């Protein structure tokens, strides 16, 4: 965006290898080890389910159905490399200088840049934007975790199937990875210390994990790993404690994937010396509403900034708006309210706005009305798939036209469904307006405009009829 305003711009994009030695090209986490490969591998798993459904729809499928990890991984990796190349071409076309150098701050206008061979150079700029994001955390207090475990930085670049996999964590990263590993026919277990999908609506989070359990993913609830050892066979022996009973247990796995959160990538930036303030607890950079740090001319956007949603599209939008404010006479700030998102678990979960818990916390239980429904996607009927966890919840203010505070949807194509409704909520949509909206028949999204049963009524929210 800054280059389009005629400014001279350079991008430093240097990737430190993961502890397992995985490295990748230009484009950041989302392109290389995040949203893109995750959605493609999720699609691979969905296709496995579609093949099973197809037989009910009259297709003759030769059995047994098998999945080849290398074919999938190679295709995904080739696509990622094409994106890396595409980004390089785009930067060149927009006259942005791309430097594969590791940057650290010297002052508000100066960056020290180091090449992989250790050669140093110095760059000066009118403005500096920090957008280094985060990297997966390793629980280094657990013996063997770093030596024998992998993270989301590695799984998408594996050359062979992970085999029997233990995913430790209950974040969306943990559940998505366990979901697609199960979906391609590999044994996967998830170890959860406390609650699933912290920060998301908890009723929906439990529907997501219930579906995963019925779909074949094993869960070790309220358990904490204590040790990972490598056996002579090459397999990994994991020991853990049941936090309720205190009982010790162990099992062997081929792969242990840590998905216990992400740490901001700030260590090498020299922030303290330059005076850029960070949050002591999170390690993230403290920013004001206009993305400015405590040092003039230094800005921070994306996951590295404290209190911001850890989502690629918000970082992109914040960066565009920052460039417009700096060079385009704009005053528009990024609005971090009502940002839609989707968790690509086997049963997808899309949401926008407030969870029920957060709405109650902000407005009080008596001031909110929750409309909800259990529905069955039409695709599930002939295939005779269980739809017990396909659910829609809309959280509204109780008074007047009942402004919508939050939408939550579990089911097929959740992201596509929520994206459209996100605009409505951004525009201040009300329950009254929703009821005046005509649905598209026969879709799952249509069920949102037919919501009429409140939780308060205690009536059965199961949708009957078409």
């Amino acid at each position: 965006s800054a280059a389009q305003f005629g400014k001279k711009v350079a991008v430093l994009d240097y990737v430190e290898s993961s502890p397992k030695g995985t490295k990748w090209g230009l484009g950041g986490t989302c392109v290389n080890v995040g949203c893109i490969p995750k959605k493609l591998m999720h699609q691979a798993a969905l296709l496995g389910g579609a093949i099973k459904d197809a037989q009910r729809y009259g297709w003759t499928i030769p059995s047994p159905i098998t999945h080849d990890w290398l074919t999938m991984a190679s295709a995904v990796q080739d696509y990622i490399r094409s994106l890396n190349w595409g980004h390089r071409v785009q930067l060149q076309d927009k006259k942005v200088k791309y430097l594969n150098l590791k940057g650290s701050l010297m002052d508000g206008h100066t960056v020290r840049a180091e090449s992989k061979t250790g050669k140093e150079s110095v760059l000066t700029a009118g403005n500096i934007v920090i957008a280094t994001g985060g990297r997966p955390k390793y629980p280094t207090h657990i013996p063997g975790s770093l030596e024998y475990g992998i993270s989301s930085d590695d799984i998408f670049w594996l050359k062979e199937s992970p085999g029997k996999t233990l995913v430790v964590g209950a974040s969306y990263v943990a559940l998505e990875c366990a979901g697609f590993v199960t979906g391609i026919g590999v044994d996967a277990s998830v170890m959860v210390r406390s609650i699933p999908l912290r920060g998301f609506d908890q009723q929906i989070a439990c529907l997501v994990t219930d579906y995963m359990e019925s779909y074949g993913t094993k869960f070790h609830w309220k358990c904490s790993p204590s040790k990972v050892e490598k056996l002579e066979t090459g397999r990994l022996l994991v020991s853990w404690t049941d936090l309720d009973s205190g009982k010790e247990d162990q099992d062997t796995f081929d792969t242990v994937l840590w998905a216990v959160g992400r740490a901001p990538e700030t260590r090498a930036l020299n922030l303290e010396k330059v005076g850029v303030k960070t949050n002591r607890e999170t390690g993230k950079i403290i920013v004001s509403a206009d993305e400015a740090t405590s040092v003039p001319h230094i800005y921070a956007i994306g996951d590295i900034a404290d209190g911001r949603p850890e989502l690629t599209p918000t970082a992109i939008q914040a960066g565009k708006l920052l460039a417009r404010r700096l060079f385009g006479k704009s005053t528009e700030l990024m609005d971090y309210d009502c940002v839609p998102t989707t968790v690509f678990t086997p049963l997808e979960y899309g949401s926008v706005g407030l969870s029920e818990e957060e709405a109650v916390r902000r407005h009080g239980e008596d001031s909110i009305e929750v409309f909800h429904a259990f529905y069955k996607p039409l695709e599930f009927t002939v295939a005779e798939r269980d739809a017990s966890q396909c659910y829609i919840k809309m959280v509204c203010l109780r008074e007047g036209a009942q402004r919508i505070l939050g939408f939550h949807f579990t089911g097929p194509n959740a992201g596509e469904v929520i994206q459209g409704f996100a605009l409505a909520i951004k525009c201040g949509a009300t329950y009254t307006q929703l009821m005046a909206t005509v649905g598209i028949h026969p879709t799952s999204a249509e069920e949102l405009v037919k919501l009429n049963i409140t939780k308060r009524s205690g009536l059965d929210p199961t949708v009957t009829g078409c």
Side-chain angles (χ1 to χ4, degrees):
S1 285
Q4 283 168 324
F5 286 108
K7 299 296 166 186
K8 195 174 172 188
V9 183
V11 168
L12 272 65
D13 183 274
Y14 181 89
V15 181
E16 288 278 14
S17 299
S18 75
K20 269 280 170 286
T22 309
K23 49 178 179 285
W24 52 85
L26 179 65
T29 297
C30 177
V31 166
N32 295 283
V33 287
C35 331
I36 300 293
K38 171 271 300 285
K39 178 90 184 283
L40 291 171
M41 290 191 179
H42 169 62
Q43 174 64 9
L46 290 181
L47 287 170
I51 291 168
K52 288 173 194 156
D53 288 357
Q55 295 168 80
R56 298 270 187 186
Y57 281 94
W59 289 95
T60 305
I61 310 286
S63 58
I65 304 163
T66 58
H67 180 271
D68 181 59
W69 175 278
L70 184 60
T71 303
M72 172 190 70
S74 300
V76 168
Q77 291 160 17
D78 286 349
Y79 177 64
I80 290 168
R81 287 191 188 97
S82 78
L83 291 178
N84 298 150
W85 177 251
H87 285 309
R88 289 191 77 153
V89 170
Q90 272 196 312
L91 288 176
Q92 218 170 349
D93 287 351
K94 294 193 164 109
K95 311 235 175 343
V96 174
K97 188 147 184 66
Y98 161 57
L99 301 165
N100 186 17
L101 301 172
K102 188 177 179 183
S104 60
L105 299 170
M106 294 174 75
D107 60 43
H109 292 292
T110 317
V111 172
R112 178 186 288 110
E114 190 182 331
S115 73
K116 54 179 78 137
T117 58
K119 189 175 170 226
E120 285 191 4
S121 50
V122 173
L123 303 167
T124 57
N127 297 286
I128 296 169
V129 179
I130 303 169
T132 48
R135 294 293 286 269
K137 286 181 189 170
Y138 275 80
T140 47
H141 62 283
I142 297 170
S145 63
L146 199 58
E147 297 90 323
Y148 308 125
I150 66 167
S151 74
S152 59
D153 276 359
D154 308 295
I155 190 156
F156 306 112
W157 292 90
L158 295 179
K159 291 296 179 208
E160 55 187 38
S161 169
K164 184 181 175 187
T165 301
L166 174 67
V167 179
V168 181
S171 61
Y172 73 89
V173 175
L175 299 185
E176 288 175 341
C177 289
F180 72 67
V181 169
T182 303
I184 59 171
V186 174
D187 184 321
S189 304
V190 182
M191 189 168 287
V192 182
R193 192 187 59 202
S194 52
I195 60 169
L197 296 177
R198 185 181 299 280
F200 288 88
D201 189 283
Q202 280 303 293
Q203 180 195 2
I204 311 273
C206 291
L207 290 175
V208 166
T209 54
D210 285 351
Y211 183 91
M212 287 180 70
E213 282 194 282
S214 70
Y215 167 91
T217 306
K218 302 175 192 77
F219 280 82
H220 299 286
W221 294 104
K222 298 275 164 46
C223 290
S224 183
S226 51
K227 191 167 42 170
V228 183
E229 299 164 273
K230 193 162 197 166
L231 302 174
E232 282 176 17
T233 58
R235 301 197 85 203
L236 302 174
L237 178 67
V238 181
S239 306
W240 67 84
T241 308
D242 183 307
L243 297 173
D244 282 342
S245 67
K247 195 169 136 290
E248 301 287 326
D249 209 343
Q250 53 183 201
D251 196 2
T252 53
F253 300 90
D254 297 304
T255 299
V256 175
L257 190 153
W258 302 107
V260 292
R262 296 176 68 82
E265 194 70 336
T266 53
R267 284 161 309 163
L269 292 176
N270 206 23
L271 299 178
E272 215 165 283
K273 200 164 176 213
V274 174
V276 173
K277 290 196 169 70
T278 58
N279 178 327
R280 285 283 162 86
E281 267 177 60
T282 63
K284 294 190 175 195
I285 297 171
I286 294 165
V287 289
S288 53
D290 65 350
E291 326 301 344
T293 70
S294 54
V295 175
H297 309 289
I298 299 180
Y299 301 86
I301 57 170
D303 294 19
I304 197 74
D306 196 49
R308 302 299 194 222
E310 295 186 357
L311 297 167
T312 301
T314 55
I316 292 169
Q317 183 86 330
K320 282 180 181 170
L321 292 173
L322 173 60
R324 285 174 200 164
R325 287 195 304 275
L326 289 174
F327 312 120
K329 299 196 173 76
S330 168
T331 56
E332 187 187 350
L333 295 171
M334 175 66 188
D335 182 0
Y336 290 97
D337 250 359
C338 289
V339 171
T341 191
T342 293
V343 180
F344 290 97
T345 33
L347 186 71
E348 296 176 10
Y349 164 28
S351 69
V352 59
L354 303 184
S355 64
E356 186 176 348
E357 295 92 338
E358 183 60 20
V360 167
R361 195 182 69 75
R362 289 193 197 182
H363 300 282
E365 208 161 330
D366 292 339
S367 297
I368 68 159
E369 195 75 272
V370 177
F371 294 88
H372 66 153
F374 283 96
Y375 71 101
K376 188 160 197 165
L378 186 64
E379 310 91 296
F380 283 27
T381 54
V382 170
E384 294 183 15
R385 278 172 65 177
D386 180 31
S388 308
Q389 288 84 26
C390 291
Y391 178 71
I392 298 163
K393 176 198 279 192
M394 181 172 61
V395 184
C396 301
L397 285 174
R398 202 173 169 194
E399 295 303 312
Q402 299 181 290
R403 183 164 64 83
I404 303 166
L405 302 173
F407 251 137
H408 303 270
F409 175 98
T410 58
N413 307 301
E416 312 297 348
V417 170
I418 287 296
Q419 182 69 79
F421 286 100
L423 172 63
I425 292 193
K426 202 82 177 155
C427 294
T430 64
Y431 178 69
T432 308
Q433 290 168 330
L434 189 76
M435 288 304 98
T437 303
V438 176
I440 299 169
H441 192 60
T443 63
S444 296
E446 173 191 25
E447 300 300 338
L448 276 79
V449 303
K450 287 160 53 179
L451 289 171
N452 63 84
I453 290 173
T454 65
K455 270 195 174 183
R456 197 182 301 279
S457 72
L459 297 171
D460 181 3
T462 307
V463 173
T464 53
C466 67

